[in-house]
Amino acid sequence: MVDKNQLRIATRNTGFIDPESVESYIAVGGYQALGKCLAEMKPADVIDLMKNSGLRGRGGAGFPTGVKWGFAAKYASDTKYVVCNADEGDPGAFMDRAVLEGDPHNVLEAMAIGGYAIGGNKGTIYIRAEYPLAIARLKLAIQQAKDMGLLGDNIMGTDFSFDIELKYGAGAFVCGEETALIASMEGNRGEPYTKPPFPAEAGYWDKPTIVNNVETLANIPAIIMKGADWFSGIGTETSKGTKVFCICGKINNVGLIEVPMGTSLKTVIYDVGGGIPDGKEFKAVQTGGPSGGALTYKDLDAPIDYENLVARQSMMGSGGMIVMDEDDCMVAVAKFFLDFTMDETCGKCTPCRIGSKRIYEILDKITIGQGTEADLEKLRSLSHNIKDTALCGLGQTMPNPVLSTMRVFEDEYRAHVIDKKCPAGVCADLLEFTVVEEKCVGCTLCARVCPVNCISGKPKEVHVIDQAACIKCGACLDKCKFDAIIKQ
Amino acid sequence: MTNSIDELMDSGAIFITGSNTTEGHPVIGAKIRRAKAKGTKIIVAEPRKIELAADADVFLQITPGTNIALYNGMMSYIISEGLQAAEYIKERTENYDELVATLADFTPEKAAEICGVSAEDIKSAARMYAQAPKAAIVYAMGVTQHTTGTEGVMTLSNLALLCGNIGIESGGINPLRGQNNVQGACDMGGLPGTYPAYQSVANPEIKAKFEKAWGVELSDKVGLTLTEIVHKAGHGDIKVLYIMGENPMVSDPDLHHVEEALKNTEFLIVQDIFLTETAQLADVVLPAASFAEKDGTFSNTERRVQRVRKAIKPVGNCKPDWQILMDLLNKLGIEKRYASAEEVFNEITTVTPSYGGISYERLEELGSLQWPCPTPDHAGTKFLHSGKVARGLGLFKPAVYKPSAELPDADYPYIMTTGRVLYHYHTRTMTGKVDGLNKLSPASFVEINPALAEKLGVTDGEMVAVSTRRGQIEVAAKVTAKLKENVIFMPFHFAVGAANVLTNTALDPIAKIPEYKVCAASVKKI
Amino acid sequence: MAKIKSLAELQKKRDELQAVAAKTKNEKVIVNVSLATCGIASGGKEVMEAMKQEAAALGINNVEFTMSGCMTYCFAEPTVEITLPGKEPVVFGYIKGDKAKELVSKYIKSGELVDGVIPASYERIVF
Amino acid sequence: MSMLTITIDGQAVEMPAGSTILAAAKKVGIDIPTLCQLDMEKQFNQQSAACRICVVEIEKRRNLAPACATSIMDGMVIKTDSQRVIEARKTVLHLMLSDHPLDCLTCEKAGACKLQDLCYQYGIEVSDYPGLRNDYPLDASNEFYTRDLNKCVACRRCVQVCTNFQSTKAIAFGDRGFTTHPVAPFDKGMSDSTCVSCGNCVSVCPVGALLSKSKEKFRSWEVSKVKTTCSYCGVGCQMNLLAKENKVVGVEPMDGASNSSLLCVKGKYGFNFINHPDRLKTPLIRKNGELVEATWDEAYGLIADKVKATKAEYGNDALAGLTSARVTNEENYLFQKLVRAGFGTNNVDHCARL
């Protein structure tokens, strides 16, 4: 019997019910929470319950959901909006898609509950256009719910009405930032603006607006049904409930998991994730998406929650986890993530627009062996100043991959700039393929596969690689049957 | 303007009629569009689909000359729906019953037929205007340059009173003055019937006041208006004509008639900064300094008095107009020397009650002051008729729609209307000297609807002959869907292909304003 | 579709649906194929079709095919959950090629387990 | 409005709720540098806060805050000149400068360039973070101004003024990442846009990215600036005339009550008539059908004689004058005085109706 490390709240129905059937959802208790709110609770009660549950935003920032709702409820307005942020943009993260495709009514029900709580009756799901199946199932679900009187006018015979529409994002990473998302929904260029005013005061069309992530919403009907105490009984002191992660990279069980907050990284990697393939050593895991940070073997026993991740120069983010093993170069990894954020910055503020480019350029310099020790200092100082000055969360977290990898793997950085070596053997410009004389039998196989003919040697004699001509393709190493070629 | 420009930004609705604001008054146009962005409803009633039509919540593309019918249709609907400001009407206006009686059977449907727009649009415009908590009316020459110009303004005033929009912030009726200092020219008594501050020349007390101030005897006979002067000059009755800073050879209606009149004047004095078409006919030409070369004040369209300051010395041997005028006054025996424009201004404030509290010193400190500003401690007046209108009660002066003086017929089947373009100003004496502006708007043109163009066999840019009962000109056709099929438009700025060769001299009986906005014309392919 | 007019009506509807489901569960084999984007992309639809054909070919007609979203086992797509009458559901992963038919001919037909069973390592919240 | 008390660099400041840190600092004479801030009017005062040069340190806040866009909160303790703040501002300048040509010697904007001033203030000569620079072609397609995006610091003032104040919306930001830059529709040239050449973008550009095409070469320190009122339409826009050697060489908008720092194409660029060679420079008198140059005394004498003679022969009402809606109040006043007192008639009018 396998340990039940996982607890499925947000993903309780995905994989179990038919997402295209409202009956299937009703059969597992769907819309009961909304019905309960409308029949038995005042909006303020709902907000109190949410506050007491300790649910925090699962989009990454971890702002308490009940508090956010409370703000929006406080501002008087004829119109208020509930926005579902389904603009899942982290590479390797797809928990929102899984929920929307597998349990769309759950999200709709939660949005209606939010609308009831804040006194709003308009909902919008901002979803990326790259999720056609999720869009189709959401559309179907909205129609079904309306047909059954579970959405639309006078829900379940009450005075409460709530409508939901879809808005499509074009796949801009920054549109996951709530103010950029609102700008995009209004038809403007998707870029963030300075808060305050927060959306809860003046958001979509300047009306009070709550923006909640898909996973956050997916928890809500369960919290309503099972109570705040039940939910706050799960997790750690500051982080309640569960968190959905997408584990990918160098891990056996690539996939979606949902574990209680406070679960250790070790449990996630080894027990739930099944460990590292091919018997390789675990090196690090990037959490929090491209602007998160790398956790290492030093962090394996740390319980995962919002505060603990931030303390380790990373963050919860939306829940992507990219696992790396001994064959991954941390400088190259940082460069990979900066390459992403450099392209995705909206370009509004100077530190993010130019700073991301410059960090990338310095990392690039290091990976091709042209870095200096001064560059390491520049990296550090530039990164700190960008975190301090950038406009939105994207810019403020963009240097995280650099800072977190430098924190634990400074040796690796130094090896690149001082020894001009890539210890993990990834950075091609720093590699040298050499023949181990003792092992070479002179079979000539390597010379025959070399695309640039830079390996010479007579049959049965030790071969030699001309370093100047070598393009570091690695074909010789793959071909050698005697382990006589090494890269270092 | 009864109100101030910036108040528009807080209006609930702005009704723009007879003004192509973004081209005629670009900065006000920009502010109206900003108001729109902030949530103000925009209603536009214009014969052309002007830029602001795209911002409009309701756009009424009316036939030129039918604006009074439109306003009446709106008012009749407002009354029939009970949307009028009943309390306001009771307390602050009079003669309401006559308005109701006049509009009795004038339904929006009737208005719609006359104006060539849908009754539904008239109704929604009326609702929008009446239901806004504060609504402003913005208009310009498109309302006034008609034989019924005065009635047009009064009808707008009726509409504003009906909805309680006069005497409140962000409401009012707001004419946009076309030239930098039209307001000041009127304020300063550049009118045949009034001294500065609209004090009547026929009033013996006023006359006595000015006789004392100036030390001469004055006439109590109301003088001639511009169009009358030109008319009389044509008959040789005006012997000496002094024209300062004007170019009637391009700006006045029926230019052939103007040319004849000026040539017929025995002694023509023209004072200007360039040798204009008019100056070329003069007997004496006096070179004046431009605004950059002199001190003074301008009064803008919202009654705001602001300083003009000297940036460079007068070019060549020219002089600021005020010095020339002072010299001539001296020559004619009125011995008063002014050392500076400020001294002239100080004299103005002694005889001009509404400017009484304004001084160069205060303008320096505050930047500007809006008249009425009667005393040195008065802060100026942001909007007029606060609390009650100037005359006591707001007077409804209903008018019925009357067709324009000249309507299309078999010989002249189209309605021609005129207006401005963004890149030129009046008769181009200044803008015509700026290369970039000339490149962007090089020559006169006539706008015609694509359907009409097809009917005439004319393509965009081709030369056409436009003629009216007064003359014919050849201009390039600009084919555009801005206009209805039976309407053509020409800018009036250009001396070559001048629109005013064609325009009608028929005048509004009260304001004596020519009917530039409507005449019957024909267009032929050359 | 009749509108639900109150919470009580919704609860009644839920109870009815659960009763039907419980009955089905006791009488029929339920084959639930994971058909989220990932499942479809890795051939889930083909798996369902193949199983339907195989069941028909073998004359097994007490099978009810349903679909669901992501079962979270990305590493093992396509995945299929089979619930034999009165038994606990079992999830099978890596259903490629002839494996789909095998599930019908072996597990559904005779309860004989095949490779690729994915143990459930979770607790699921229900209410 | 409620008043809040905050502390800036040790000084207590009382300001109304809703004020920005920038305004509070200004009140006590503390200078916080700005670049992208566009203080055109109270309304619509959503600052883009894009450049990040005005960041300050707020106690208990995780990161630095832009002073231009951060509202004060009661009890806030702010530092505007800590090492952390200085380092951050320097970093921002280093980054800006790393994507900017160093051609101040020939740049028309030199002397009036915000980036130049800030680099001078913070002692930055070359960027610490050299790297790839954007390379855009010069857009000179507009009649009145050039656009050199290589000098653009993406402060957004041009887009803000065009969108929110001028309301033309001819430009917006395009692209993402390092190449984010202001674009006309489809990134074609300005002449292919809805631009109305008002030049308001040029007026607010803090660097040399948008420059008026000028006939006269001049350095910003060579011109005198005189505030005056525009001589075109009736709006009464306030502007500065820039003059060099008795020539008007440029116009910049000023914050007047009616124009709020905006101008239109005529006000901004229609000034070349002032020093145009065709200007009348001396009186002319018609002799034998030709207008010939004359002295002022000749002209005055002729007019006075003619006026007196006409009055005597035909009566005062045979004289008339048309005054001008172009000239000043003082001049209009004197003109009607001339006609009324000098000519002795009320035959005075002007073209208010035309």
Side-chain angles (χ1 to χ4, degrees):
Chain A
M1 187 72 199
V2 182
D3 281 338
K4 304 228 163 159
N5 298 310
Q6 296 197 63
L7 178 62
R8 294 178 61 171
I9 303 174
T11 60
R12 64 190 177 277
N13 294 328
T14 54
F16 297 97
I17 64 167
D18 180 350
E20 297 184 3
S21 155
V22 65
E23 283 90 353
S24 187
Y25 183 62
I26 291 172
V28 294
Y31 290 103
Q32 298 287 335
L34 176 60
K36 183 177 166 190
C37 288
L38 298 180
E40 298 164 12
M41 298 171 80
K42 292 197 192 74
D45 300 336
V46 179
I47 290 173
D48 282 344
L49 191 150
M50 292 308 299
K51 284 182 184 167
N52 294 336
S53 75
L55 176 67
R56 292 169 66 176
R58 299 295 193 242
F63 193 81
T65 307
V67 176
K68 193 186 253 188
W69 287 15
F71 286 143
K74 199 177 71 184
Y75 295 103
S77 175
D78 51 350
T79 312
K80 296 182 186 181
Y81 294 97
V82 177
V83 175
C84 168
N85 182 350
D87 189 60
E88 190 167 51
D90 281 7
F94 39 85
M95 61 288 285
D96 292 352
R97 193 189 70 199
V99 170
L100 294 171
E101 287 178 356
D103 195 14
H105 285 283
N106 184 8
V107 174
L108 304 184
E109 183 183 1
M111 288 175 74
I113 292 169
Y116 177 71
I118 66 164
N121 45 29
K122 286 195 170 141
T124 306
I125 302 173
Y126 184 85
I127 183 166
R128 42 182 21 218
E130 294 95 320
Y131 283 179
L133 186 63
I135 289 169
R137 287 184 179 164
L138 277 169
K139 279 184 174 167
L140 180 66
I142 291 169
Q143 195 49 53
Q144 289 171 343
K146 277 188 172 176
D147 289 346
M148 294 197 79
L150 301 170
L151 274 183
D153 292 338
N154 303 102
I155 295 173
M156 293 186 228
T158 66
D159 291 342
F160 179 64
S161 301
F162 193 79
D163 249 331
I164 294 176
E165 59 165 6
L166 299 185
K167 290 251 178 201
Y168 307 126
F173 180 63
V174 75
C175 287
E177 200 280 343
E178 61 181 0
T179 61
L181 181 150
I182 287 168
S184 170
M185 292 210 311
E186 289 173 355
N188 296 318
R189 178 178 163 86
E191 56 183 28
Y193 54 82
T194 304
K195 296 183 273 192
F198 288 90
E201 181 186 353
Y204 190 34
W205 300 125
D206 277 340
K207 303 289 184 190
T209 302
I210 51 171
V211 183
N212 287 130
N213 159 274
V214 171
E215 186 191 334
T216 313
L217 291 167
N219 278 295
I220 288 168
I223 295 174
I224 301 284
M225 293 307 288
K226 296 184 72 83
D229 289 345
W230 162 76
F231 192 78
S232 64
I234 304 162
T236 67
E237 190 59 36
T238 58
S239 308
K240 305 298 185 189
T242 56
K243 180 74 192 88
V244 183
F245 292 103
C246 284
I247 332 181
C248 59
K250 307 283 181 58
I251 187 95
N252 279 319
N253 297 345
V254 168
L256 207 62
I257 65 165
E258 183 172 358
V259 292
M261 292 281 188
T263 303
S264 73
L265 195 55
K266 192 190 251 167
T267 305
V268 169
I269 305 277
Y270 289 100
D271 300 340
V272 184
I276 315 296
D278 304 329
K280 299 271 184 177
E281 278 296 307
F282 166 77
K283 185 167 188 181
V285 57
Q286 173 88 3
T287 69
S291 40
L295 303 179
T296 70
Y297 62 93
K298 290 183 182 168
D299 306 309
L300 274 175
D301 291 323
I304 300 171
D305 71 5
Y306 290 100
E307 278 65 29
N308 259 317
L309 289 180
V310 171
R312 286 165 168 74
Q313 307 254 315
S314 181
M315 59 182 195
M316 185 69 81
S318 60
M321 275 194 177
I322 301 169
V323 182
M324 290 160 271
D325 69 10
E326 58 193 273
D327 289 342
D328 288 305
C329 165
M330 297 316 284
V331 183
V333 162
K335 183 175 123 179
F336 170 81
F337 287 121
L338 259 295
D339 192 18
F340 178 84
T341 40
M342 176 179 77
D343 283 345
E344 289 294 341
T345 166
C346 75
K348 186 171 181 179
C349 72
T350 315
C352 193
R353 182 183 69 253
I354 307 179
S356 59
K357 177 84 176 168
R358 298 297 175 241
I359 293 189
Y360 174 82
E361 285 172 343
I362 297 173
L363 290 170
D364 188 51
K365 216 172 129 190
I366 294 173
T367 57
I368 61 171
Q370 292 173 5
T372 63
E373 277 184 271
D375 284 331
L376 299 184
E377 207 30 62
K378 271 189 188 180
L379 263 187
R380 210 174 262 124
S381 136
L382 186 53
S383 296
H384 279 299
N385 279 308
I386 290 170
K387 282 180 82 76
D388 228 4
T389 53
L391 194 156
C392 80
L394 190 153
Q396 288 157 16
T397 56
M398 166 261 286
N400 279 347
V402 179
L403 290 174
S404 68
T405 51
M406 281 183 92
R407 178 180 64 105
V408 183
F409 299 101
E410 180 154 8
D411 287 353
E412 211 165 315
Y413 276 84
R414 298 186 76 82
H416 281 75
V417 297
I418 298 169
D419 311 331
K420 309 291 178 198
K421 290 281 176 206
C422 174
V426 171
C427 300
D429 290 287
L430 302 184
L431 292 182
E432 226 172 57
F433 289 81
T434 45
V435 178
V436 184
E437 286 183 30
E438 304 81 61
K439 290 190 179 174
C440 180
V441 299
C443 71
T444 74
L445 261 182
C446 59
R448 275 183 275 155
V449 297
C450 178
V452 291
N453 297 320
C454 74
I455 305 178
S456 54
K458 290 182 182 146
K460 308 241 166 93
E461 286 176 20
V462 172
H463 280 51
V464 178
I465 300 172
D466 176 0
Q467 294 301 333
C470 172
I471 56 163
K472 339 251 185 202
C473 67
C476 54
L477 180 114
D478 291 345
K479 206 74 188 175
C480 181
K481 294 173 182 165
F482 307 97
D483 294 335
I485 295 179
I486 51 166
K487 69 171 178 183
Q488 56 190 9
Chain B
M1 287 172 71
T2 58
N3 292 55
S4 297
I5 295 168
D6 261 14
E7 289 174 36
L8 291 174
M9 235 100 63
D10 296 313
S11 298
I14 305 175
F15 179 26
I16 298 137
T17 177
S19 159
N20 180 5
T21 324
T22 56
E23 298 205 53
H25 301 82
V27 169
I28 297 180
K31 291 194 172 186
I32 289 173
R33 296 173 99 178
R34 256 185 72 185
K36 164 79 183 177
K38 288 176 65 183
T40 300
K41 299 275 185 226
I42 305 289
I43 306 157
V44 174
E46 272 284 310
R48 292 166 79 213
K49 198 183 254 175
I50 55 169
E51 234 182 330
L52 279 179
D55 298 273
D57 295 281
V58 181
F59 171 51
L60 300 146
Q61 190 161 18
I62 58 171
T63 302
T66 63
N67 50 327
I68 292 178
L70 170 70
Y71 313 149
N72 280 341
M74 286 168 69
M75 282 192 281
S76 110
Y77 179 73
I78 288 168
I79 294 169
S80 73
E81 293 288 300
L83 300 172
Q84 71 274 30
E87 197 78 347
Y88 179 95
I89 292 167
K90 209 168 93 192
E91 285 171 12
R92 290 169 69 166
T93 69
E94 60 186 343
N95 209 26
Y96 176 60
D97 294 342
E98 192 188 327
L99 179 78
V100 176
T102 308
L103 299 175
D105 342 301
F106 197 77
T107 59
E109 284 73 18
K110 279 190 187 166
E113 207 184 314
I114 295 168
C115 302
V117 297
S118 86
E120 271 324 299
D121 284 349
I122 294 181
K123 289 176 187 172
S124 55
R127 263 195 312 272
M128 210 170 271
Y129 178 80
Q131 289 176 337
K134 303 178 279 189
I137 295 170
V138 168
Y139 72 94
M141 297 302 196
V143 169
T144 54
Q145 288 176 340
H146 293 284
T147 44
T148 54
T150 307
E151 288 179 342
V153 175
M154 284 172 177
T155 310
L156 281 177
S157 162
N158 294 340
L159 176 60
L161 285 172
L162 182 68
C163 299
N165 278 323
I166 289 187
I168 61 163
E169 199 163 352
S170 297
I173 50 172
N174 301 290
L176 306 182
R177 313 305 304 253
Q179 300 181 63
N180 56 330
N181 204 25
V182 184
Q183 187 66 52
C186 296
D187 296 348
M188 290 299 111
L191 297 168
T194 59
Y195 290 111
Y198 310 96
Q199 305 174 86
S200 171
V201 295
N203 182 324
E205 277 171 45
I206 302 288
K207 186 172 118 155
K209 176 171 110 178
F210 278 91
E211 283 177 339
K212 191 173 163 225
W214 293 347
V216 288
E217 269 190 38
L218 296 168
S219 166
D220 60 359
K221 189 176 145 198
V222 172
L224 301 173
T225 62
L226 184 149
T227 32
E228 288 165 339
I229 290 169
V230 171
H231 187 70
K232 280 213 163 192
H235 289 90
D237 295 338
I238 296 292
K239 304 291 178 191
V240 173
L241 179 58
Y242 188 166
I243 301 176
M244 173 174 75
E246 291 289 347
N247 191 11
M249 279 296 292
V250 182
S251 65
D252 288 20
D254 191 358
L255 292 178
H256 294 319
H257 172 66
V258 175
E259 185 173 354
E260 218 169 283
L262 295 182
K263 282 183 171 161
N264 238 342
T265 305
E266 211 174 288
F267 191 67
L268 179 65
I269 310 158
V270 175
Q271 179 170 321
D272 213 313
I273 61 172
F274 288 106
L275 194 66
T276 61
E277 291 79 3
T278 305
Q280 286 167 23
L281 301 177
D283 296 289
V284 179
V285 177
L286 302 174
S290 76
F291 82 112
E293 298 147 50
K294 62 190 181 186
D295 286 308
T297 55
F298 288 154
S299 298
N300 82 349
T301 188
E302 49 174 355
R303 300 165 281 104
R304 189 180 296 282
V305 182
Q306 303 184 114
R307 279 295 314 275
V308 175
R309 292 182 186 84
K310 183 176 164 179
I312 57 170
K313 295 195 294 280
V315 300
N317 208 4
C318 77
K319 292 185 183 192
D321 299 80
W322 66 267
Q323 278 185 14
I324 301 171
L325 295 165
M326 177 182 77
D327 291 345
L328 284 170
L329 273 163
N330 294 160
K331 289 270 179 199
L332 294 174
I334 295 150
E335 292 294 340
K336 167 110 196 216
R337 304 288 308 171
Y338 306 94
S340 64
E342 184 173 8
E343 285 186 14
V344 182
F345 193 84
N346 291 342
E347 180 177 315
I348 292 172
T349 59
T350 61
V351 294
T352 312
S354 54
Y355 281 61
I358 307 176
S359 64
Y360 274 30
E361 204 183 335
R362 288 192 77 191
L363 291 178
E364 207 62 51
E365 185 193 328
L366 301 169
S368 64
L369 275 164
Q370 282 172 286
W371 68 258
C373 177
T375 56
D377 56 0
H378 194 283
T381 306
K382 195 173 161 197
F383 62 96
L384 301 177
H385 315 303
S386 177
K388 58 176 190 174
V389 301
R391 66 181 289 276
L393 290 176
L395 178 66
F396 283 103
K397 288 201 76 174
V400 294
Y401 161 74
K402 296 184 204 79
S404 304
E406 190 177 81
L407 292 175
D409 57 18
D411 295 336
Y412 298 100
Y414 313 116
I415 302 172
M416 177 173 129
T417 189
T418 64
R420 292 164 197 266
V421 301
L422 173 66
Y423 299 105
H424 284 297
Y425 176 67
H426 224 248
T427 65
R428 290 174 66 249
T429 44
M430 302 190 291
T431 52
K433 303 286 189 297
V434 180
D435 293 345
L437 297 174
N438 282 332
K439 269 195 197 138
L440 290 169
S441 177
S444 189
F445 57 86
V446 59
E447 283 184 356
I448 55 178
N449 173 286
L452 178 56
E454 203 183 316
K455 204 160 93 187
L456 299 170
V458 174
T459 56
D460 193 60
E462 246 181 295
M463 294 299 282
V464 292
V466 184
S467 49
T468 66
R469 289 189 174 82
R470 288 151 297 279
Q472 176 174 322
I473 56 160
E474 294 181 359
V475 285
K478 195 180 228 176
V479 179
T480 167
K482 274 186 199 167
L483 293 163
K484 287 191 177 171
E485 199 182 326
N486 63 336
V487 179
I488 62 171
F489 166 86
M490 279 190 71
F492 74 87
H493 308 289
F494 297 90
V496 176
N500 285 332
V501 167
L502 307 172
T503 46
N504 194 353
T505 48
L507 298 182
D508 174 84
I510 304 159
K512 307 283 160 79
I513 194 165
E515 189 150 67
Y516 280 153
K517 295 302 182 195
V518 185
C519 69
S522 75
V523 184
K524 288 194 176 64
K525 187 177 173 163
I526 303 175
Chain C
M1 205 176 291
K3 292 217 177 201
I4 289 171
K5 301 263 174 42
S6 68
L7 177 58
E9 270 187 46
L10 181 69
Q11 283 163 342
K12 194 170 149 239
K13 177 101 184 166
R14 176 195 60 191
D15 296 345
E16 286 167 13
L17 287 166
Q18 283 181 348
V20 172
K23 190 160 175 272
T24 311
K25 219 175 152 189
N26 279 327
E27 291 170 356
K28 289 188 171 178
V29 176
I30 302 169
V31 175
N32 171 16
V33 184
S34 175
L35 289 181
T37 298
C38 39
I40 293 168
S42 61
K45 281 186 173 170
E46 289 75 10
V47 168
M48 192 192 268
E49 199 45 45
M51 289 179 72
K52 278 182 180 168
Q53 283 175 8
E54 183 68 4
L58 297 178
I60 306 170
N61 44 25
N62 69 332
V63 183
E64 183 164 314
F65 286 90
T66 64
M67 60 175 256
S68 73
C70 168
M71 288 182 189
T72 75
Y73 309 115
C74 309
F75 59 93
E77 292 286 0
T79 48
V80 173
E81 180 195 65
I82 300 174
T83 313
L84 297 181
K87 294 213 170 146
E88 283 300 304
V90 176
V91 177
F92 296 89
Y94 315 98
I95 313 299
K96 302 255 175 177
D98 290 338
K99 200 79 176 288
K101 288 183 179 173
E102 215 181 318
L103 279 179
V104 181
S105 60
K106 290 192 174 160
Y107 187 63
I108 293 178
K109 199 174 171 203
S110 54
E112 182 186 339
L113 278 174
V114 297
D115 283 351
V117 172
I118 303 171
S121 66
Y122 55 80
E123 184 188 333
R124 183 188 160 217
I125 296 307
V126 286
F127 44 82
Chain D
M1 193 177 283
S2 67
M3 297 295 283
L4 309 177
T5 306
I6 61 167
T7 309
I8 306 182
D9 295 343
Q11 290 190 65
V13 193
E14 207 188 43
M15 287 291 280
S19 307
T20 60
I21 294 174
L22 188 67
K26 202 171 172 186
K27 193 181 169 193
V28 288
I30 293 171
D31 180 48
I32 297 175
T34 59
L35 196 149
C36 70
Q37 190 233 8
L38 191 60
D39 195 14
M40 290 192 60
E41 246 173 298
K42 307 299 166 279
Q43 299 132 312
F44 256 70
N45 208 11
Q46 175 73 50
Q47 295 297 335
S48 68
C51 76
R52 318 307 282 183
I53 201 72
C54 71
V55 287
V56 295
E57 193 173 340
I58 301 173
E59 253 182 31
K60 294 184 190 126
R61 185 177 154 132
R62 183 172 43 87
N63 55 348
L64 301 177
C68 70
T70 307
S71 301
I72 55 167
M73 294 208 280
D74 207 27
M76 238 182 203
V77 178
I78 296 155
K79 282 189 214 145
T80 73
D81 58 355
S82 65
Q83 194 56 32
R84 182 176 165 204
V85 167
I86 305 293
E87 280 309 313
R89 289 186 190 154
K90 281 186 167 179
T91 302
V92 168
L93 287 171
H94 275 294
L95 289 174
M96 270 184 196
L97 205 59
S98 74
D99 187 31
H100 193 95
L102 293 174
D103 63 348
C104 300
L105 290 179
T106 52
C107 180
E108 291 283 342
K109 194 76 175 183
C113 171
K114 274 265 190 187
L115 182 62
Q116 193 186 41
D117 291 350
L118 288 167
C119 285
Y120 176 75
Q121 187 182 342
Y122 287 93
I124 290 163
E125 205 176 328
V126 289
S127 176
D128 274 356
Y129 306 109
L132 187 75
R133 267 178 30 196
N134 280 298
D135 186 12
Y136 301 100
L138 182 79
D139 179 1
S141 64
N142 185 282
E143 285 297 329
F144 301 102
Y145 62 87
T146 56
R147 196 168 77 139
D148 182 357
L149 291 175
N150 298 314
K151 295 186 180 178
C152 175
V153 292
C155 73
R156 315 187 152 228
R157 287 164 65 132
C158 56
V159 171
Q160 259 190 306
V161 82
C162 190
T163 306
N164 295 338
F165 296 93
Q166 167 61 27
S167 313
T168 295
K169 304 183 177 90
I171 45 174
F173 265 80
D175 271 8
R176 287 196 175 270
F178 185 60
T179 53
T180 305
H181 63 287
V183 293
F186 307 105
D187 213 355
K188 292 185 175 179
M190 288 310 302
S191 57
D192 273 340
S193 74
T194 55
C195 173
V196 292
S197 303
C198 67
N200 288 315
C201 56
V202 179
S203 300
V204 297
C205 180
V207 293
L210 291 165
L211 288 171
S212 293
K213 288 179 178 173
S214 182
K215 286 197 162 145
E216 308 288 333
K217 273 180 99 87
F218 63 90
R219 286 309 213 172
S220 63
W221 54 86
E222 290 178 324
V223 294
S224 62
K225 292 184 179 186
V226 174
K227 187 179 172 186
T228 192
T229 304
C230 178
S231 71
Y232 285 107
C233 77
V235 177
C237 298
Q238 297 297 289
M239 52 161 67
N240 270 347
L241 292 179
L242 314 186
K244 178 187 169 184
E245 290 159 10
N246 214 47
K247 270 191 175 170
V248 173
V249 294
V251 170
E252 62 184 22
M254 296 299 285
D255 188 10
S258 58
N259 67 311
S260 321
S261 303
L262 297 175
L263 287 178
C264 77
V265 60
K266 296 188 285 287
K268 174 82 180 170
Y269 293 117
F271 59 84
N272 278 340
F273 73 91
I274 297 170
N275 296 95
H276 196 277
D278 289 355
R279 275 287 297 279
L280 285 168
K281 293 189 184 76
T282 188
L284 305 171
I285 290 177
R286 189 170 298 277
K287 286 181 183 162
N288 304 322
E290 295 284 312
L291 284 169
V292 296
E293 292 192 359
T295 66
W296 279 104
D297 279 343
E298 283 175 84
Y300 286 156
L302 180 61
I303 293 168
D305 291 349
K306 196 72 198 177
V307 167
K308 285 173 192 164
T310 306
K311 284 169 75 170
E313 193 177 344
Y314 299 100
N316 295 354
D317 290 341
L319 291 88
L322 296 178
T323 185
S324 171
R326 295 313 145 58
V327 303
T328 65
N329 288 325
E330 291 76 358
E331 290 156 348
N332 272 295
Y333 173 80
L334 288 184
F335 191 88
Q336 57 97 34
K337 184 174 175 181
L338 176 74
V339 173
R340 293 196 158 106
F343 293 2
T345 176
N346 285 317
N347 288 345
V348 57
D349 201 1
H350 71 284
C351 74
R353 305 173 187 85
L354 309 179

